Amino acid sequence: MVRSRITKKLKILHLIEDSRIAGPQLRIIKIAKALTGETETTVCSPEQNSIQLSGMLENVGVNFIPNKLIPLTRGFTGIFLYIILFLPSIMHLKSIINKVNPDIIHC
């Protein structure tokens, strides 16, 4: 029996909750760089504080898509915004997932 080689690149979508450069972001960049050529990697994280992260991802050939997720913060205003904007944020995230159509979603 002859096995056919899979020529389609595996699509991976990384969903992260913070765009600041720290351990999880650096790990994703390192893994994506190591898998260049074998996978098509996309990172999706909040637009806030994303300039440095998007630049680093671009340098290693990784797609970056900002999302509109609002982080949950302390205080009445933060909680109120989170509750009000939760459903629209999730709908936006769903549209990103549909657009990318990943084989693997890593959160």
Side-chain angles (χ1 to χ4, degrees):
M1 174 183 223
V2 177
R3 292 185 183 202
S4 63
R5 292 189 72 159
I6 298 174
T7 57
K8 177 187 164 198
K9 286 186 178 183
L10 190 63
K11 288 177 148 183
I12 301 173
L13 176 62
H14 292 275
L15 300 175
I16 51 179
E17 63 182 348
D18 194 347
S19 295
R20 293 177 294 171
I21 301 300
Q25 293 78 2
L26 294 173
R27 178 187 47 80
I28 288 170
I29 292 167
K30 184 177 180 179
I31 290 170
K33 187 176 180 181
L35 295 175
T36 299
E38 298 176 32
T39 64
E40 183 180 322
T41 303
T42 302
V43 173
C44 179
S45 72
E47 192 168 21
Q48 182 180 11
N49 300 320
S50 68
I51 293 171
Q52 186 179 11
L53 176 62
S54 64
M56 291 175 77
L57 292 168
E58 184 179 316
N59 288 340
V60 295
V62 175
N63 302 318
F64 176 76
I65 300 176
N67 65 43
K68 299 181 188 307
L69 290 178
I70 303 296
L72 180 59
T73 58
R74 294 182 183 199
F76 176 77
T77 305
I79 293 170
F80 181 75
L81 283 174
Y82 182 81
I83 291 169
I84 297 299
L85 298 174
F86 181 76
L87 189 56
S89 296
I90 295 301
M91 297 306 293
H92 181 252
L93 190 57
K94 183 181 182 313
S95 73
I96 291 171
I97 292 169
N98 289 338
K99 177 183 171 188
V100 174
N101 192 22
D103 297 308
I104 298 173
I105 298 175
H106 181 255
C107 309

